[in-house]
Amino acid sequence: MSVLRSVVVLAKNLTMVTEFLLLGFSSLGEIQLALFVVFLSLYLVILSGNVTIVNIIRLDKSLHTPMYFFLGILSTSETFYTFVILPKMLLNLLSVARTISFICCAIQMFFFLGFAITNCLLLGVMGYDRYAAICHPLHYPILMSWHVCGKLGATCGIGGFLASLTVVYLVFSLPFCSANKVNHYFCDISPVIRLACTNTDVHEFVIFICGVLVLVVPFSLICVSYVCILRTILKIPSTEGRRKAFSTCASHLTVVIIHYGCASYIYLRPTANFVSNRDRLVTVTYTIVTPLLNPIVYSLRNKDVQVAIRKALGKKGSLKFYN
């Protein structure tokens, strides 16, 4: 009975956390204003670039192909992905009060992980699309029919948010007592779970398994796809044919390496190994740089997209002329 009373008294003395303090870049002092200008500029470029890509793909019928269908979904997902993180981060750079409520922190993590995992799965599907187009061109219309594309797109979204829901439940079902300083600029897994006032080994192990499923498995499939693609490309007799095949894959590979590389570095290791300053820099890469690369590297350097943009601008110009 005495042990039970002690436990009850201890539980009463614990102060449960109702809000978190996002430390972010507060240690940088006056440099935060410069960071605000830089990050705001990059955010506007990300928004304008991805919105442009989505609209161009929607309006130009020549881009109504599986590759651009998935690219449009990826651009949409990237837009919401950055919207979950960057506005709050920009506000905190100019604010002294950097608090976020317990519920809002969980919601932010849910949507951030949901869109991030969806992007990982989409990149895997896009790798399969390139494999089907280059290695099995005659069967491509069947392998990547619109019915199949719709199912693959829906699976990426549903799978991404189900995995996110699982991880968020594992994190926020833990007890949080007095410590509430999140050493990051948003509610990410490692900085938040470190604040829990209990042993988190089991929860972290399950989260690690989820990380393997959404990072290692799709990346492995992409690697296998590109091995097959490389073997097929090397069999193409013409130099121009090989160059064109390589160019359609180079942009996708660039985004894949940066996205999967940074995400694997952060999420496929124990929480105890979290090093705030270096990890924040890596996180900036996949929360800002990768969404920026999507419209620039993957799309705007693509000749089909460039032609579609010129056509759209030409139509606007002719409308203004006649008006």
Side-chain angles (χ1 to χ4, degrees):
M1 287 295 290
S2 60
V3 174
L4 183 61
R5 284 173 188 165
S6 298
V7 171
V8 172
V9 171
L10 181 61
K12 287 181 178 179
N13 290 334
L14 289 174
T15 305
M16 302 309 290
V17 169
T18 57
E19 64 179 17
F20 293 104
L21 177 65
L22 298 171
L23 297 181
F25 301 98
S26 57
S27 61
L28 298 179
E30 295 180 357
I31 301 176
Q32 289 179 95
L33 185 58
L35 285 177
F36 173 82
V37 175
V38 172
F39 289 149
L40 177 61
S41 302
L42 292 174
Y43 182 48
L44 293 175
V45 172
I46 290 167
L47 284 181
S48 57
N50 282 305
V51 169
T52 299
I53 294 305
V54 171
N55 284 325
I56 289 297
I57 291 171
R58 184 175 60 86
L59 296 172
D60 197 301
K61 290 184 179 180
S62 66
L63 299 181
H64 291 182
T65 62
M67 183 176 82
Y68 293 109
F69 169 74
F70 291 119
L71 182 57
I73 297 176
L74 182 66
S75 294
T76 304
S77 181
E78 294 278 23
T79 302
F80 287 109
Y81 169 76
T82 53
F83 180 74
V84 173
I85 302 297
L86 294 186
K88 179 66 176 174
M89 184 189 75
L90 291 169
L91 185 65
N92 286 346
L93 284 170
L94 298 179
S95 174
V96 177
R98 297 179 172 88
T99 57
I100 183 170
S101 70
F102 187 89
I103 293 174
C104 287
C105 187
I107 291 171
Q108 186 187 54
M109 187 182 292
F110 169 72
F111 281 106
F112 165 72
L113 291 175
F115 288 117
I117 296 169
T118 298
N119 293 345
C120 286
L121 299 178
L122 278 171
L123 288 171
V125 169
M126 291 167 82
Y128 171 72
D129 172 71
R130 292 299 81 212
Y131 162 77
I134 295 171
C135 299
H136 302 283
L138 297 178
H139 297 97
Y140 183 70
I142 299 170
L143 292 173
M144 297 303 292
S145 65
W146 286 117
H147 181 68
V148 172
C149 289
K151 281 188 173 181
L152 287 172
T155 301
C156 289
I158 294 169
F161 280 94
L162 282 177
S164 174
L165 184 64
T166 303
V167 172
V168 171
Y169 173 77
L170 287 168
V171 173
F172 287 92
S173 62
L174 293 166
F176 293 88
C177 305
S178 56
N180 72 332
K181 292 182 179 179
V182 178
N183 199 2
H184 213 343
Y185 57 86
F186 70 98
C187 291
D188 205 358
I189 299 169
S190 294
V192 173
I193 206 169
R194 292 180 79 192
L195 302 177
C197 51
T198 187
N199 186 283
T200 61
D201 290 346
V202 175
H203 288 242
E204 286 187 57
F205 179 73
V206 177
I207 291 170
F208 175 78
I209 297 299
C210 291
V212 170
L213 291 175
V214 301
L215 288 171
V216 177
V217 173
F219 184 69
S220 300
L221 293 175
I222 290 171
C223 290
V224 171
S225 297
Y226 272 102
V227 168
C228 297
I229 288 170
L230 183 61
R231 290 171 63 182
T232 303
I233 289 174
L234 293 174
K235 292 177 183 177
I236 298 174
S238 67
T239 306
E240 180 62 24
R242 286 198 297 269
R243 188 197 63 78
K244 188 175 181 181
F246 271 122
S247 66
T248 60
C249 300
S251 299
H252 177 249
L253 268 177
T254 302
V255 176
V256 163
I257 290 168
I258 294 173
H259 186 88
Y260 280 95
C262 294
S264 298
Y265 174 78
I266 294 293
Y267 298 110
L268 296 183
R269 60 187 180 134
T271 302
N273 292 338
F274 180 83
V275 182
S276 59
N277 293 330
R278 187 172 61 198
D279 286 356
R280 269 202 299 268
L281 182 61
V282 175
T283 308
V284 165
T285 303
Y286 72 80
T287 55
I288 299 176
V289 177
T290 304
L292 187 66
L293 283 176
N294 180 42
I296 294 175
V297 174
Y298 202 96
S299 305
L300 299 182
R301 290 181 68 241
N302 184 294
K303 287 184 179 179
D304 295 334
V305 176
Q306 288 176 356
V307 170
I309 291 172
R310 290 194 195 101
K311 281 166 62 178
L313 292 175
K315 285 180 182 178
K316 284 186 178 181
S318 61
L319 286 171
K320 285 182 180 179
F321 177 77
Y322 287 115
N323 289 337

